[in-house]
Every structure is written in C-alpha cells, then in structure tokens.
Amino acid sequence: MSTLPALLSPDPDAPFPPVDRALRQPDGLLAVGGDLTPARLLNAYRHGIFPWYSQGQPILWWSPDPRTMFATDGVRLGSKFRRGLRRSTWTVRADTAFAQVIRACAEIPRPGQRGTWITPEMRAAYERMHELGHAHSFEVFEGDRLVGGIYGMAAGRMFFGESMFSAVSGGSKVALAALAFHLRRWGFPLIDAQVENDHLLSLGAKLWPRPRFLAAVAELTAQPGIVGAWTDRIGDWPATALADVNRP
C-alpha cells in the first residue's frame, strides 16, 4: 500500500482512485487536490468518499475504516430526554435555513477543537449543492430562534451526514432524531456519520467495516433519490413527536 495519497486530476469528472488504496495512517486519507464542484462531490459521495481539510491545506479526500453509521431506526434518545420532549415547544423544519445551519456548525465552539474544517470554500460548495437539491438541513426552532440543526448530502436513498450543532442543549439530538425518523419514512435506511466519537456512539451509531459500508452505498445510491427541497415534506413538525420514537 502506498504511503502517499493519490493526486487528483483537475478534471472534475475524473474518477477517484480505488478506496482500498486509502492510507491506514492517517486513517482513510485517499487523495489530495481537485475541487469542490457538484460533479466531483456527487462522485465522491457515491463512492463513500468525503472532503475534510482545514483552511490553508489542499483539499483532502477520505474514506476511513471502519465507518460510523446510524440505522434510521436506530437513533437512541435517553428516557430523561424523552420526558423533556413531551413538554417541548420546539418545531422541526427541513431546508428552510441551510446557510444558517452550516454557518452555526462552522462557528460554534467545540471542546478540544481549534478552528473549523468547514472553510468558506466548503460552505460555498455545500450551499451550491443545496441550491441544486442534493444537500439538506433539518433545523430545530424555538419560536423564530434556531436552536439546533444538522446538514448533509443525499444521493439516491443514502444520506451522508456532515455536521450538526446545538445552540441550546439537546438541539442537535432532536435534529438528528427527526432526520432519521423522516428518512426512514422515505425509504432511507442509513445515515453515514463518517468518523466515530463518544457522542455519536451514545446516540446509537455503530462501526461498520469499510467493505460493508461501500456495498451499502453502492446499492442505495443506485436507487431513485429525492432531489429538491424537502421543506414541504415535513412542514412544521413538532419535536414532541419524537418522545415515543424508537423507544427501547
């Protein structure tokens, strides 16, 4: 196996190298360079690859092993949190505040993290994908205040989560659980969460070997997707509805 990642062609339609060539250290680094055009991004996600880099770095493309995954019927909320949801006045919407969600994900402080990988270039690229109907956000509101959200990419019947945030405790949990609930209704069985952390695992994420993940991606991205805004599909959806979803 090479000790250096592949250098991508400047042609946005050029294929990525085979994922099994990804490095073990750092885990999953596959390629360097290229761009964030819609064609390149769609090609990447359909092959289980995503961009992740910091300001001042070239674009880095990753496919780690194992992969962190949620089943859309497997997001777990604790019993105390559910009891609080029964009194919640929060409302969930889709694709009404994509730019605000991605900006909040970029700017909110996170323990142990300096700066952000959601660079201005990344924000512009995903906002363009949102305009084209491929990137989506689920937003949690308290009145007119945005208190949490999640965004990511959809390809076929596969959803690839990118980032989520909470401005108020529990906002990101509600966004993730609402996303999973509605994706399941629409025939999306999985959410890619990319790289593990304790918080994701506590919410029900599982670690999948990369071959299993890639097989699922190939199958699901080949199915007809739901391109375009998802706003009217859920309307103003009450967070209280999550209190009894996927109860143990």
Side-chain angles (χ1 to χ4, degrees), residues 16-216:
F16 282 87
V19 170
D20 61 8
R21 296 184 187 175
L23 304 185
R24 295 191 183 278
Q25 291 295 332
D27 178 32
L29 180 58
L30 176 67
V32 176
D35 51 47
L36 298 175
T37 58
R40 181 96 68 180
L41 284 170
L42 285 172
N43 186 27
Y45 283 97
R46 287 170 178 153
H47 290 86
I49 301 163
F50 60 89
W52 186 25
Y53 65 102
S54 299
Q55 189 74 39
Q57 291 181 324
I59 301 173
L60 304 176
W61 301 89
W62 302 79
S63 185
D65 186 13
R67 195 70 162 230
T68 305
M69 301 292 293
F70 283 101
T72 53
D73 63 355
V75 175
R76 303 302 179 198
L77 301 176
S79 57
K80 181 179 179 180
F81 189 79
R82 290 176 183 277
R83 287 196 297 272
L85 280 177
R86 292 192 175 92
R87 302 185 300 275
S88 176
T89 60
W90 290 357
T91 298
V92 181
R93 301 171 189 149
D95 289 339
T96 69
F98 185 90
Q100 294 96 311
V101 169
I102 194 171
R103 182 172 67 244
C105 289
E107 296 177 353
I108 197 162
R110 300 178 191 270
Q113 178 177 308
R114 296 176 59 189
T116 180
W117 57 269
I118 308 174
T119 65
E121 182 183 23
M122 288 276 275
R123 284 169 57 178
Y126 285 92
E127 286 175 16
R128 176 59 177 152
M129 297 304 287
H130 175 65
E131 292 169 0
L132 294 172
H134 301 296
H136 303 277
S137 59
F138 266 55
E139 310 113 14
V140 184
F141 286 91
E142 185 173 39
D144 293 329
R145 182 189 178 195
L146 183 65
V147 298
I150 187 171
Y151 79 95
M153 287 275 294
R157 295 286 164 160
M158 180 75 197
F159 193 86
F160 302 87
E162 281 294 316
S163 188
M164 57 186 182
F165 84 97
S166 292
V168 175
S169 179
S172 63
K173 289 183 183 180
V174 168
L176 171 63
L179 171 68
F181 175 81
H182 288 285
L183 287 177
R184 183 184 181 191
R185 290 176 52 231
W186 304 336
F188 289 66
L190 298 172
I191 300 171
D192 172 33
Q194 298 181 348
V195 180
E196 72 176 287
N197 61 48
D198 290 342
H199 180 59
L200 296 177
L201 296 177
S202 74
L203 293 172
K206 305 297 183 184
L207 301 183
W208 283 29
R210 187 164 57 205
R212 180 186 178 193
F213 165 73
L214 293 175

Side-chain angles (χ1 to χ4, degrees), residues 230-244:
W230 292 353
T231 307
D232 292 342
R233 287 181 165 267
I234 73 166
D236 286 355
W237 194 74
T240 53
L242 291 169
D244 294 307

